[in-house]
Each structure stands twice: as C-alpha cells, then as structure tokens.
Amino acid sequence: MKFWESNHQSVQEGDMQFIALYKFYYQDLYAYGVSLGFNIEDVKDAIQEVYLKLYFNERLCIDEKKIKFYLLRSVRNQLIDWERTKKDTSSIEEEERSFKLSVSVEESFISDEEDLLLKKRVNRILDLLTDHQREIVYLHFIEEMPYEEIAVMLDMKIQTVRGQVFKAMEKLRKLDSKDYFLFLYNTCSVFKSLYRIVKDNSFDIIYVQHLNVLPVIVLVNIIFKKDVIVHLHVVYADTIVHWLVNLLLRSSYIKKIIGVSNYALQQLDEKNKTKSMVLYNPVCFLNKLNFCDKYQIAIIGDVIYNKGHHILLEALSKSSIQYTHHVIGNIVDYQYHNELQSKYGTVNSIYTGMIHNVTEYLSKNKIGMVVIPSVTSETFSLSMVEAWSIGIPTIATNNFGMKELVDTFLPEYASYLLFKLGSANDLCAKMKELLGDDKLYHELSNRLYSVVKDSFSDKNYMESLCKIIRDI
C-alpha cells in the first residue's frame, strides 16, 4: 500500500488521492526548480520523474508532515543529477547555480511602465542577498520549511542556516521602510492571487488570519460577495490605521470578527463590537512535567526591546541565586543584544534561535519558570499558555493580553503571576516568592495544567469555530 492511501480505499480512490497530491504541490515545485536556475522544460521533467518514482515505489514511507520537504529535495536532487550527467562531472560547485528569486506583475492590472519599475525595484532588493541567502529565505519564509529541514536539503549545519537568515534580514532591514513601490506590488500581487483562487474554486466563506490583506479581501469581495470571518490578532496604535481597520471591518460581508482576546477587541468601534467574540488560541495538550529545575528560567520571544529582555536580565542580576537564562527566539536587534551582553554578561545565558517545538524544548531542559516581561502590547501570550500546558508557572507583565489570561483563568493567583510593568525589582521579588515556596509552586503547576486541559484544547477551539461557521 502506498503512503497516501488508506486501508479502506479502492485503487481508483487511491489514484485520485495521488492526483490531488500532485496538483497541490506542483506550483511550489515548479517555482522552486525555476528559481534554482534550471530551464523550464527540465524542471517540468524533473517534477514528473519525482512523482513517477513516488507512485511506483511501494515501499516508500513518508511522514505526512514531511511530504513537501521530500518533494522539494527530490526535485532539487533530480535536477542537479541531470546537470552532472550533462557536464560529465561528479560534482557541481554551488557557485555555478544562481538562485533566481524574482518577481513579475501581469499587465492586466498595471501598465508596462509600472510593471518594469516594480520589477526593477523589487529585484534590486533581492539582489542584495547572496544566492545561498535567497534560496534559504525562499525555503524558510515562502515554503515555510524549518531550519532543520533546510539544513538537510542544502547539506549545511543548522546554525549556518540560521546565520544566513539573520544576515539576509539585516540587509533587508537597512532599506527604507516606506517602500511605496513594494506596497503597490504586494497589493496587486495579493489581489491577483486571491481573485484567481476565489474565481476558480467554490467557497462559501473566506477566513482572514492576517489583517494586512484585509483591504484586498474587501476589494475582491465587491465582485464575489462571499461571507467573511476575520481573526484579529493585533492592536493598532496608529490612529489612521485604527480608523481604516474599523472602516473595512464594517463591510456587510464580514459576518464575524474573532479576537484572540478581549484586549484585541477593545480597538473596535461600537458597530464592529456587535459582531465580535473572543476565541482563545489553542495549544497541544501534553504530559505534565514530573520534575522542573527551578534554576532554569526561560523567556520566549525574539531579542528586541519590546519583549523586555532587559527587565528579566536586570532581575536575574539582582538575585543572589545563579540562574540559567534560556532565550528562545531569534536575535533580531543586534545592537540591543550587544547592549544586553555588555551590561549583563555575568548572567549565564543560552540563546537557542527559533525553536520549532517550544514545549518540547521547555520539557527537555526541565525549565522551571517562563517569564513574559513585554513592555508593549501583546494581544495573546502563546508562550504563557504553552508553558501552562506542561505545568510550568509563568510570571508576566501586569498588562495587555497576559493580564487578561491570568485574570480570566487564574484570578486567585494574580498576585504571584503578574508583576508591575517595567519593574525588574518587582519581577525579582515575585520570582523569589514563587520559586521559594515548594507547596505554592506545585499547587500552581497542577492548576495551570488543568486550565489548559479545560479551556485551551484543540477540540474546544474547533468546536467553537465550527459553531461560528454554522451560525453564519
């Protein structure tokens, strides 16, 4: 039996499943092959070859979560093998292939002159990256592959892959943030893609997760008039953006606005609040940790000022206890990171980079506490609930979405779990109090675990979401 088939399928049903698999990944494989610098016909042949091998290999067993990785790697290897054969050589230097990540805009939406300006502008930005950086950025951000899989595909160390992403992002951050050409291109590109998808398929509801595409959704829906559900994750501080978001959300086709917290929904005007509701994000329900090392403290978030790393480090430096400080996230602001290293170099810190499975890392390293010291608004703290899911206590800023979670589900423990915004002294005192009281610590750990089981399960989330859809 082939891996895409089930025990109860007929041969014909299995073949239909395979065709669906082929169609689902074809465009991704084609775009990646062309971007590698190979000609179009070779790319098409390589895709066909990979799928034929896949179809006739009875013994092949692939994890469903790894199918895309398997196909991308197979197409890449097939193309390189053919190139080696043509050149009659056993190896091809990476420098011989130039990863061609570029853009184009269809004439039906903008004029040829604008098309040329857009392509030149965007391609000039992409040219700032090396071939390796372009390919890694493509795989990570467009194909959404984790660093580990990219490392295997490109035969590189994981840390090297992470380093290349950091360097690429540093180059791109130096560009002017008010890039109107890019804004125009992105708007046109999203409009075209969405228009084709809705036109070519039968949908009853459009579900919007990212509000940066909301203007395009509203425009497309003038044509197709589909019901829309919007998921609100972000609080918009800018007055103009805040006004624009509310204006767009008033569309009669937007039937429901789901907020990740009441804190997220507070920005809505009165009319939009009437069609809004809170639906907290779910987390995987795992086994509770039997043992935690209270000297292991973690902060989950990229190294930027807003995440409040300096507050936790200041608190740790004031403590008489020698903690190990785990930073789970990318170093985004290197200047800020260097300042932290210079000022708090005596604190034993471990920087992990981005971790695909946070709870697994917390469990494996027996983390005793997670701290969320954010100094700017967070609508919902996923890191807080992920820690709760395995019974790890958290201490967070007494504000934003973190305060809402504690006040809603654990009000009796608020005095232990929340500290004054920006106060390292208060954080240090709360850590000492909670970590120094074994009875309180274990009581709280058990309570946190039961809260996630009762209120943050995938099952509860999906039941609530399905009810929303049925009601529409």
Side-chain angles (χ1 to χ4, degrees):
M1 187 177 70
K2 289 137 183 174
F3 75 90
W4 62 84
E5 297 175 337
S6 69
N7 290 319
H8 306 292
Q9 281 184 321
S10 66
V11 174
Q12 186 177 7
E13 288 172 332
D15 286 347
M16 291 298 292
Q17 191 79 10
F18 180 79
I19 291 169
L21 181 74
Y22 176 88
K23 290 180 177 179
F24 187 80
Y25 289 110
Y26 185 88
Q27 287 300 327
D28 286 337
L29 299 175
Y30 176 82
Y32 181 53
V34 172
S35 294
L36 284 168
F38 294 97
N39 72 62
I40 291 173
E41 293 307 315
D42 282 348
V43 172
K44 290 179 179 178
D45 289 344
I47 295 171
Q48 297 283 7
E49 185 73 16
V50 167
Y51 272 107
L52 284 171
K53 289 178 180 176
L54 185 64
Y55 184 82
F56 288 108
N57 191 338
E58 295 279 352
R59 293 196 231 169
L60 187 62
C61 183
I62 305 174
D63 185 338
E64 286 185 11
K65 297 178 181 178
K66 302 280 187 181
I67 292 174
K68 190 174 186 179
F69 163 67
Y70 169 83
L71 292 171
L72 287 169
R73 184 175 64 169
S74 298
V75 168
R76 186 182 197 273
N77 290 343
Q78 185 66 66
L79 288 165
I80 291 174
D81 286 345
W82 284 347
E83 190 75 6
R84 285 173 179 161
T85 303
K86 288 177 184 177
K87 294 193 175 185
D88 192 26
T89 179
S90 60
S91 66
I92 297 177
E93 295 298 325
E94 289 293 325
E95 290 75 17
E96 292 182 31
R97 290 185 300 101
S98 176
F99 192 82
K100 299 173 183 177
L101 181 55
S102 60
V103 299
S104 62
V105 182
E106 291 181 8
E107 294 81 357
S108 56
F109 286 90
I110 58 177
S111 71
D112 291 340
E113 184 178 356
E114 287 173 328
D115 187 8
L116 182 61
L117 286 172
L118 285 167
K119 287 195 287 185
K120 283 184 177 179
R121 175 64 171 149
V122 178
N123 288 330
R124 185 182 68 79
I125 292 170
L126 295 172
D127 284 344
L128 293 173
L129 308 180
T130 65
D131 290 338
H132 260 318
Q133 287 170 351
R134 278 197 294 271
E135 185 169 7
I136 291 169
V137 165
Y138 179 90
L139 292 171
H140 186 58
F141 292 104
I142 296 178
E143 297 300 343
E144 299 180 333
M145 287 175 59
Y147 293 130
E148 294 80 2
E149 290 183 0
I150 297 173
V152 172
M153 180 179 286
L154 303 184
D155 193 22
M156 300 169 70
K157 294 181 179 178
I158 296 175
Q159 199 58 41
T160 302
V161 173
R162 287 197 183 107
Q164 290 295 321
V165 172
F166 294 156
K167 289 176 183 177
M169 293 302 100
E170 279 295 294
K171 289 179 181 179
L172 296 179
R173 283 188 197 101
K174 293 176 182 177
L175 298 172
D176 181 7
S177 61
K178 293 183 177 180
D179 196 335
Y180 299 111
F181 284 111
L182 276 178
F183 174 77
L184 178 60
Y185 167 72
N186 287 335
T187 301
C188 292
S189 177
V190 173
F191 182 89
K192 289 183 296 179
S193 297
L194 184 62
Y195 178 88
R196 284 194 294 266
I197 290 170
V198 178
K199 180 176 179 291
D200 296 340
N201 297 275
S202 177
F203 296 112
D204 295 317
I205 294 174
I206 299 175
Y207 185 81
V208 183
Q209 276 274 7
H210 299 285
L211 262 64
N212 58 341
V213 300
L214 185 58
V216 181
I217 296 288
V218 173
L219 285 173
V220 169
N221 219 26
I222 292 173
I223 303 169
F224 296 102
K225 299 177 172 54
K226 301 292 185 181
D227 290 335
V228 178
I229 297 173
V230 174
H231 212 132
L232 193 58
H233 298 260
V234 180
V235 170
Y236 296 95
D238 184 272
T239 305
I240 295 176
V241 175
H242 180 271
W243 170 82
L244 179 60
V245 167
N246 271 286
L247 178 65
L248 294 169
L249 289 174
R250 287 184 205 134
S251 167
S252 60
Y253 297 109
I254 296 179
K255 302 300 183 182
K256 184 64 70 175
I257 303 169
I258 301 172
V260 294
S261 62
N262 283 300
Y263 181 76
L265 294 177
Q266 70 178 3
Q267 64 190 311
L268 299 180
D269 60 28
E270 292 306 313
K271 183 176 180 180
N272 286 326
K273 282 180 180 177
T274 61
K275 54 182 178 181
S276 70
M277 66 168 289
V278 174
L279 184 58
Y280 294 111
N281 289 337
V283 293
C284 293
F285 187 65
L286 305 171
N287 293 326
K288 184 177 178 295
L289 285 183
N290 294 321
F291 170 75
C292 292
D293 183 350
K294 294 182 182 179
Y295 298 106
Q296 306 292 321
I297 308 295
I299 178 171
I300 304 168
D302 291 336
V303 182
I304 52 176
Y305 180 84
N306 293 348
K307 292 295 183 181
H309 291 265
H310 55 289
I311 298 169
L312 174 56
L313 283 168
E314 179 71 19
L316 294 175
S317 69
K318 291 175 179 292
S319 175
S320 58
I321 300 172
Q322 187 66 40
Y323 294 104
T324 297
H325 163 237
H326 299 253
V327 182
I328 304 173
N330 290 329
I331 300 172
V332 174
D333 186 337
Y334 280 91
Q335 182 177 346
Y336 177 60
H337 172 253
N338 291 337
E339 290 171 359
L340 296 178
Q341 292 288 85
S342 175
K343 188 172 182 179
Y344 304 110
T346 57
V347 177
N348 182 24
S349 298
I350 298 172
Y351 290 85
T352 67
M354 184 60 67
I355 297 291
H356 182 62
N357 190 328
V358 172
T359 49
E360 182 181 352
Y361 181 88
L362 296 175
S363 178
K364 182 180 178 180
N365 289 276
K366 309 294 183 186
I367 300 298
M369 175 176 286
V370 171
V371 178
I372 304 99
S374 301
V375 296
T376 57
S377 63
E378 287 198 24
T379 54
F380 178 86
S381 179
L382 182 61
S383 57
M384 175 184 280
V385 183
E386 284 179 328
W388 292 359
S389 72
I390 50 177
I392 299 177
T394 61
I395 297 180
T397 300
N398 188 19
N399 211 324
F400 319 125
M402 294 86 74
K403 175 176 169 58
E404 179 180 330
L405 287 173
V406 173
D407 287 346
T408 302
F409 298 101
L410 299 152
E412 68 274 28
Y413 293 103
S415 61
Y416 302 108
L417 300 180
L418 298 171
F419 74 97
K420 185 178 177 182
L421 174 64
S423 174
N425 289 331
D426 193 29
L427 173 57
C428 185
K430 301 282 185 183
M431 290 173 60
K432 182 178 180 181
E433 181 180 21
L434 181 52
L435 294 173
D437 188 331
D438 287 341
K439 181 180 178 182
L440 172 64
Y441 183 92
H442 291 295
E443 173 189 309
L444 180 56
S445 176
N446 291 329
R447 182 78 178 89
L448 296 171
Y449 188 68
S450 65
V451 163
V452 172
K453 181 180 179 180
D454 295 338
S455 304
F456 293 93
S457 69
D458 283 323
K459 180 183 177 183
N460 289 346
Y461 182 86
M462 291 307 299
E463 286 177 352
S464 298
L465 191 56
C466 288
K467 184 179 185 305
I468 293 170
I469 294 171
R470 284 195 304 269
D471 291 345
I472 290 175

